[in-house]
Structure formats: C-alpha cells, structure tokens
Amino acid sequence: MHRVRASLFVSVTSLALAALAPAFAEAHTIPGGLTLHQMSSAADVIAAARIERVGPEPRGAGPLPPVEARILELFREGDAKVGPIRFVPHRHADESYVAGEEILLFLERRRPDAKDAAAVPYESVEAIADRIVLVPATRATWIDATRAYAALGKGARSGDPAALGRVTVTMLGSQEPRIATFALRDLTLAGATPLIGEADVPALTALLDDASRPATLRAGLLMELERRKLVAVGPSWIPLLRSAPPNDRVQVIRAAGARAFVPAVTAELVSILEKGERDAAIAAARALGFERNEAAVEPLGRAVDREPDEMRFAALGSLRRIGSPSAREILARVATSHPDPETRRVATTEQNLLDARASAPPAAPAATSPPSSPSTGFGTKGVIVGIALVVLACYALFFLRKGKGKPE
C-alpha cells in the first residue's frame, strides 16, 4: 500500500513540478545568465581574490568540495575579513577553478542549517564558467566597474533606476566588451524602466557610430534605443550594416531583418543580396522575408537562379513569407520549370505551405468566449504553486503517519 501511495505521490509531484518548471527557470542561474549588476546585487561579499586551494573532484554525483581563496581587496565586506575565505562553488559542466587564478568573487551567505555552514559559510553567486578572471591588462577596468555596481547596494537597495541608469550608460562605453554586454543586458532586462532618457542619446548614438565597437553590441543598443523611442526606427541601420566587419556582418543582417518594413533598410539588404559576399548575401535573402515586402520580390526572384543552393532555398523561403501575388507567381514558376530538381521540390513545398496558410479556417471570434470572472490576484502560476504546496503537504502527512505506525 505504501508503494502505491508513494508511486501516486511521485506521479502527481512530477506533474506539478513540470508545470512549475518555467517559473523555476526564471530564477535559476544558467551559464552567462547573470550580469555584473545582478551578481553585485545578490552578493553579501564582493572581493578580488586569489584561488589558493581547490578540493578533489567528488566521486559520482556528490557535491563539489569547498574552494579556499585569499581575499586581496573587498568591495562589499558583509561579515568577511581580509584573509582566507571558504565557499561552495556551483557549476553546470566540468569547469573548475584554477589554483593561483585571481578572480572577482560574488558570495552569498549560506543558510545556517546548511551542512558545514560554520566551516564553509559562503556559496558563489556565479557559476564557475561565468567567473571573471583578473589579468593585468584589464584588471583596473574590472575593479572600477565592480566598485560602481557594488556602490548601488544589495538587493532592493540596488533598484534605483536613476543610479543604475548612470552606471549603465558609463558601462556601455567600456572598452571591455564583456562589461559593455552586461550593461546592454541590464538595459534590455529593465523593460520599460527609464534607465536612459533623452539626455543620454548623444553619448549612446556616438557609440553606435564607433566602428571600433563590436557590431553586435551596436546592433543590440540600436534596437534598445528604437524600442524606447529615443531614435527613429530604421535609418541608423544603414551605416551599421555598411560598417559591420565580416565576422559580425551576418548577425547584424539578421537583426536588421526586423526592420525590413522600413524601405531604406530593405534597399540596403537588397544591395547586400546582390553585391555582398556569399554568407552575407544568403543572410540578406533570409532577412528580406517580411510579409508583403513587395520591394524584395524581384531581387529574390533573381536569387532563385543563383548558386549556391542555400541561396536559392533562402530566397524561396522569403518569397513564401512575403506571400504576395507576385511572390506566388515566382514560386509557381520555380516549382514547375527550374532546372534543378531539388530547387523545384523546395519551391513546391513552400507553395504548399503558403496554400495551407491561406486555406486555414479563421480563428473563432472572441465574442463567443464566456465572460471572464474577476481576477483573484493569483493567476495561473499562483494556482499551480498552490497545488504543488498541497501535494507536498500530503507527502509530509503520509510519511508522518507512516512514522507513527512503526513500533517503538
């Protein structure tokens, strides 16, 4: 009977945890998932330290052994002292700290009831793979940035938009690409919070025009400025597309595809399609597939007769996404008369997808839906959490009764 109950609990709990997985994923630390600001905000202790001892690898799936480091400089002391400090690391693969390595440490106090909490009082905020290694060439840059974020405070105290905005604008201009990328992610994660405003536009547009900056960073910053309605949508993509170095150009072209509804952006992408090198031209063929983007139909129609086949297939996919009568005509022509059999097959597939989309039944009108009841304030996630708590309570009760049933 106990086995049946236990099996039932496992099944129900699995369903509850599966439903809660998205909520857990939002809070879970993943590789590359934390910015410098987020690590600083979460940490009780922030320091520059040198790794002195790394314990042996655990057998099987055991916990990682503590790491010992010597603190060189404290930026947030908590209750730490300058000297050796022990902490529990965490990782997502087979990374390990390296003895002698100088790094930035972001440490949280462990729960008092954690095993060995007295001897090993801290755990790392960041995963091992995300550690920031301090080297002479960039050490001062990282130290200055960490001091700035540490000064914002811990937890809720770090939430002042004006203060965070000032630091974010400064860090976007950092010569250290990783610091600038962290700042861009902070800006994106802030959503509608006004971290930047009109007064910051001159400094930020100067970054957009600086060809020495990574093109992908400039593209991300431009999208954020457009989203916040601080610059006009479209025009700034032209110089960015033209100045992007070969290694970054494909990524910038993909990003520019989100602005293909702007005629000037479409014209620039068409120019890349017709005159650009192979990978950039293929990326442009894909980026031009914006619904009803009629200006791209003729250039894409010419691209279906070009080599390599990846170019032809990209053009055919974009013609299907455009979906206009002229785009349909080209798909029909290629499907019946192109000399390459594989290209004819792909064109036929794209044609069928377009026809299926056109013949799909319309969605039921919203008026047929029953009126919604007033909100209780919990929402779907709240209901799921409640279910999970009930299940866990039943689990505890089950084992309590089981324990009482045992002979003394």
Side-chain angles (χ1 to χ4, degrees):
M1 184 65 175
H2 286 161
R3 287 184 179 179
V4 173
R5 289 178 181 174
S7 176
L8 177 60
F9 165 77
V10 170
S11 299
V12 176
T13 304
S14 298
L15 290 172
L17 292 177
L20 283 169
F24 290 154
E26 290 174 7
H28 185 62
T29 302
I30 58 173
L34 295 178
T35 68
L36 188 56
H37 169 240
Q38 290 172 320
M39 290 187 285
S40 299
S41 177
D44 295 301
V45 174
I46 306 173
R50 180 178 292 109
I51 301 296
E52 292 201 331
R53 192 178 70 83
V54 180
E57 283 290 311
R59 293 183 178 181
L64 291 174
V67 173
E68 186 172 303
R70 178 168 295 278
I71 293 178
L72 305 175
E73 191 173 359
L74 280 167
F75 311 118
R76 179 178 297 151
E77 295 187 13
D79 54 3
K81 305 296 182 184
V82 175
I85 190 168
R86 300 181 77 205
F87 65 94
V88 177
H90 76 270
R91 69 184 183 191
H92 298 276
D94 294 328
E95 311 92 4
S96 62
Y97 289 105
V98 178
E101 202 172 52
E102 187 176 332
I103 66 172
L104 288 172
L105 279 183
F106 301 87
L107 303 176
E108 290 179 296
R109 258 283 178 192
R110 297 176 73 194
R111 297 193 317 272
D113 60 343
K115 183 180 179 181
D116 300 329
V120 188
Y122 298 101
E123 59 185 341
S124 63
V125 173
E126 76 282 9
I128 297 173
D130 298 328
R131 69 190 185 278
I132 298 168
V133 180
L134 298 175
V135 297
T138 58
R139 188 183 192 281
T141 302
W142 278 106
I143 295 296
D144 289 345
T146 303
R147 284 187 186 280
Y149 283 114
L152 294 176
K154 181 180 184 296
R157 289 178 296 165
S158 68
D160 176 14
L164 177 57
R166 288 191 294 271
V167 175
T168 299
V169 171
T170 299
M171 298 308 162
L172 283 167
S174 174
Q175 293 296 326
E176 172 56 47
R178 194 175 174 194
I179 292 176
T181 300
F182 281 153
L184 179 59
R185 285 172 57 195
D186 286 330
L187 191 60
T188 303
L189 292 170
T193 304
L195 294 192
I196 57 175
E198 294 287 349
D200 302 309
V201 170
L204 295 177
T205 51
L207 293 177
L208 293 180
D209 297 334
D210 185 353
S212 69
R213 306 276 173 176
T216 49
L217 176 72
R218 292 156 61 204
L221 177 58
L222 175 54
M223 295 185 81
E224 191 61 25
L225 290 172
E226 289 179 338
R227 183 181 72 83
R228 291 173 176 269
K229 300 181 180 179
L230 293 173
V231 299
V233 174
S236 297
W237 285 96
I238 310 308
L240 185 55
L241 284 165
R242 291 176 181 175
S243 63
N247 290 343
D248 291 335
R249 204 170 190 208
V250 168
Q251 288 86 345
V252 175
I253 290 168
R254 288 172 181 165
R259 300 293 182 262
F261 59 86
V262 178
V265 176
T266 284
E268 186 64 26
L269 290 172
V270 166
S271 177
I272 295 170
L273 169 65
E274 296 183 330
K275 302 174 185 177
E277 51 85 25
R278 177 186 182 278
D279 289 343
I282 292 171
R286 293 194 178 102
L288 285 165
F290 185 86
E291 188 173 4
R292 300 290 171 179
N293 189 12
E294 195 63 37
V297 172
E298 285 190 16
L300 289 169
R302 292 190 291 271
V304 299
D305 294 321
R306 289 170 55 184
E307 296 290 345
D309 55 2
E310 190 177 357
M311 168 70 77
R312 298 196 296 272
F313 302 160
L316 291 169
S318 284
L319 287 167
R320 186 254 305 163
R321 288 190 295 276
I322 292 171
S324 66
S326 57
R328 286 173 173 272
E329 287 179 13
I330 294 173
L331 287 174
R333 171 179 62 78
V334 174
T336 57
S337 62
H338 197 280
D340 176 54
E342 186 64 14
T343 301
R344 291 198 302 271
R345 187 191 67 78
V346 171
T348 300
T349 300
E350 299 290 0
Q351 211 176 8
N352 292 340
L353 288 171
L354 193 54
D355 292 340
R357 186 177 72 184
S359 61
T368 61
S369 303
S372 58
S373 58
S375 171
T376 63
F378 284 96
T380 304
K381 283 186 180 178
V383 173
I384 295 173
V385 170
I387 292 171
L389 291 175
V390 171
V391 170
L392 293 174
C394 292
Y395 180 66
L397 183 61
F398 165 74
F399 278 99
L400 180 63
R401 288 179 175 174
K402 181 179 179 183
K404 287 182 178 180
K406 290 182 177 180
E408 298 294 334

